[in-house]
């Protein structure tokens, strides 16, 4: 409870009058846009995801990077590009997630990224498969000022874990978590807030009770269960859990698999956030894995010019009119079932 409170305080400490006013402008813009069914925008993003790298050490079957279907080039973001993003947006940003495709800690500049954003008064987070959190990196994570870290751990034994996290070693993940928990104690730091994320699959759903016990033993701050995104779910998939409570999908009357929740013609993310890939392309959200909807490149122009260009406005309006026509929306995480 103490660390949860501190995490909340760490977030609210970043708030300024400019950020608060921008937040209100975005809320107002979204409300007017819903009312008019046409894009209106009078603010700038207050939450972004930045991709440190599109490379990964694992081969997860439902990940475009892992299953080698990512059509973009595998590369690292450089410091100049990252600094330009932060310098453009730091007056408005409340939160930055240093993760998209790829494993963030494969980019040796990740600690510099975190530190640069933290010094600009932005709440920082990242998500990792945990294979590079050794003793040295645990100390670097804390020194960088990282506020939150999500560590994926989808099984309590090697066989179950590696059936999805292919090429992964569970013992390294558990060791990494222990290193980070211990480093926080030694360095007397309440940051980062450590979340272990367990994606529920058919292969591991039976391990949920034991996972809860293990999480307590590890001394993390929070355990999260997440439903799995499956790409070719319509005809069924061996990863879909038997317990429908843990599934994002269900069968219709004809026996075809469909997404449980209805896709509505609205998406607040298009008004308050965006994703910037490792090469500087600005795209709408984390479901545009292959950057199909590129609105511009921040190396060539400012984020502000891209945020308000005609192509982006037309995309937002298209969502308000008929979101089903946009292919990346069909499996959106906003349709996720909270467990």
């Amino acid at each position: 409870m103490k660390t949860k409170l501190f995490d909340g305080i760490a977030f609210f400490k970043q708030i300024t009058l400019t950020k608060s006013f921008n937040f209100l402008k975005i809320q107002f813009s979204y409300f007017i846009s819903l009312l008019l069914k046409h894009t209106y925008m009078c603010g700038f993003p207050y939450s972004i995801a930045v991709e440190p790298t599109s490379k990964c050490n694992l081969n997860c079957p439902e990940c475009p990077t892992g299953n080698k279907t990512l059509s973009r080039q595998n590369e690292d973001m450089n410091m100049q590009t990252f600094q330009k993003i932060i310098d453009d947006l730091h007056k408005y940003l409340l939160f930055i997630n240093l993760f998209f495709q790829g494993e963030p800690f494969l980019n040796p500049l990740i600690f510099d990224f975190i530190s640069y954003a933290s010094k600009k008064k932005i709440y920082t987070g990242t998500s990792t498969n945990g294979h590079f959190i050794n003793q040295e990196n645990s100390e670097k994570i804390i020194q960088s000022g990282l506020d939150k870290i999500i560590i994926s751990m989808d099984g309590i034994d090697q066989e179950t874990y590696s059936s999805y996290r292919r090429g992964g070693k569970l013992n390294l993940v558990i060791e990494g978590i222990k290193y980070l928990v211990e480093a926080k104690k030694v360095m007397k730091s309440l940051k980062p807030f450590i979340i272990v994320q367990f994606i529920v699959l058919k292969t591991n759903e039976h391990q949920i009770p034991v996972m809860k016990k293990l999480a307590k033993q590890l001394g993390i701050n929070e355990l999260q269960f997440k439903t799995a995104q499956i790409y070719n779910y319509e005809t069924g998939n061996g990863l879909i859990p038997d317990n429908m409570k843990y599934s994002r999908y269900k069968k219709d009357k004809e026996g075809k698999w469909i997404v449980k929740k209805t896709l509505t013609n609205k998406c607040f993310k298009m008004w308050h956030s965006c994703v910037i890939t490792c090469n500087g392309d600005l795209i709408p959200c984390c479901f545009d894995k292959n950057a199909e909807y590129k609105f511009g490149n921040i190396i060539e122009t400012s984020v502000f010019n891209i945020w308000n260009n005609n192509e982006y406005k037309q995309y937002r309006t298209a969502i308000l009119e008929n979101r089903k026509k946009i292919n990346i929306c069909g499996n959106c995480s906003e349709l996720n079932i909270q467990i």
Side-chain angles (χ1 to χ4, degrees), residues 153 174 177-178 181 185 209-220:
M153 184 175 160
I174 293 175
I177 294 169
K178 290 179 178 179
V181 170
K185 292 178 182 177
V210 183
M211 185 64 213
K212 291 178 180 178
K213 295 179 181 178
L214 178 59
K216 290 182 180 180
Q217 293 171 6
L218 290 172
I220 62 169

Side-chain angles (χ1 to χ4, degrees), residues 217-248:
Q217 293 171 6
L218 290 172
I220 62 169
N221 299 118
E222 187 175 318
L223 172 64
Q224 290 181 354
F225 294 102
K226 183 181 179 182
T227 60
Q229 176 203 343
I230 308 295
Y231 279 96
N232 299 313
Y233 60 84
E234 291 89 349
T235 56
N237 186 295
L239 293 173
I240 298 176
D242 291 327
N243 189 334
M244 288 295 97
K245 173 185 176 182
Y246 305 129
S247 175
R248 196 178 298 190

Side-chain angles (χ1 to χ4, degrees), residues 30 33-39 263-267 270-271 313-326 329:
Y30 184 60
S33 297
L34 288 179
L35 193 65
L36 301 177
K37 291 295 180 182
H38 189 76
T39 299
L263 190 67
T264 56
N265 293 330
K266 59 182 180 179
C267 181
M270 296 305 100
W271 273 257
K313 289 178 181 178
Q314 289 170 5
Y315 181 85
R316 294 185 184 106
T317 299
I319 283 179
L320 297 173
E321 293 175 345
N322 191 348
R323 194 176 171 195
K324 290 181 180 179
K325 287 186 176 181
I326 300 174
C329 293

Side-chain angles (χ1 to χ4, degrees), residues 36 46 49 75 80 120 128 140 144 175 181 219 311 313:
L36 301 177
Y46 60 73
E75 57 185 317
Q80 185 178 6
K120 293 285 188 176
T128 174
K140 287 182 177 179
S144 72
E175 283 179 7
V181 170
E311 189 177 0
K313 289 178 181 178

